[in-house]
Amino acid sequence: GESVGLHLPTLSVQEGDNSIINCAYSNSASDYFIWYKQESGKGPQFIIDIRSNMDKRQGQRVTVLLNKTVKHLSLQIAATQPGDSAVYFCAENNFNKFYFGSGTKLNVKP
Amino acid sequence: GAVVSQHPSRVICKSGTSVKIECRSLDFQATTMFWYRQFPKQSLMLMATSNEGSKATYEQGVEKDKFLINHASLTLSTLTVTSAHPEDSSFYICSASPGANTNEKLFFGSGTQLSVL
């Protein structure tokens, strides 16, 4: 499958601060992306998605940015809370299959 | 969101035995389901695509005779790990999309932790 990678394996932030998690993808033909949150021992939980005809999409406390020029995705979490501590993955849809990046562990310090 | 149920959540078996994992879409029909494998502190690796009424398609490097997939109905796919060995120990996760095609939101089951002794 295509390679979808992340710049930072671990991110530590203070509670209340904003978090930014990055992801690089390699297939310029990919047209759909999803961010997932995974807590230990559980399946991934859908956070937010974005299609390639958009460059920004906002949800509740989360924003995804897509830069197709440099094939880069980011997930912004506003006012990060302890419950946000988890591993975050971006997933790229390629030929109707989803391939996952390596993940970033988010640690929220109280 | 759509609910995907996976069972069992944890299984311990002896080397050489076969283990079956079930994945059900509870509130939608899924002609396609996906099976992933995840090792500790690693990402999800796509193993295969399960297609209702037809053969599964496997990713490169995944042994189809080792990981048997059956998608007998629009709400159930099963993964059977045959003649399991300790190196098959892993977290297996299924997923499905309620959309009309597979380029839609993908929802995941809660995963199955397989430990082979």
Side-chain angles (χ1 to χ4, degrees), chain A residues 1 31-32 34 36 38 41-46 49 51 57 89 93 95-103, chain B residues 34 36 38 41-46 49 57-59 91 93 101-111:
Chain A
D31 60 359
Y32 182 49
I34 302 179
Y36 286 95
Q38 186 180 30
K42 298 182 179 180
Q45 176 187 355
F46 175 94
D49 59 352
R51 296 200 179 273
R57 191 159 188 231
F89 295 97
N93 188 281
F95 293 105
N96 292 327
K97 300 177 185 179
F98 283 92
Y99 296 94
F100 281 71
S102 56
Chain B
F34 300 94
Y36 289 83
Q38 186 178 32
K41 298 183 180 180
Q42 294 190 23
S43 187
L44 285 76
M45 183 194 78
L46 179 63
T49 303
T57 55
Y58 291 80
E59 294 297 299
F91 192 54
I93 320 172
N101 57 61
T102 55
N103 192 12
E104 300 284 344
K105 292 179 184 178
L106 197 63
F107 293 91
F108 285 82
S110 54

Side-chain angles (χ1 to χ4, degrees), chain A residues 6-44:
Chain A
L6 294 174
H7 299 303
L8 298 172
T10 305
L11 177 65
S12 293
V13 299
Q14 203 69 39
E15 180 180 358
D17 288 351
N18 297 334
S19 302
I20 299 176
I21 300 172
N22 296 302
C23 175
Y25 64 95
S26 58
N27 191 334
S28 58
S30 295
D31 60 359
Y32 182 49
F33 306 87
I34 302 179
W35 278 101
Y36 286 95
K37 172 186 180 182
Q38 186 180 30
E39 297 174 331
S40 181
K42 298 182 179 180

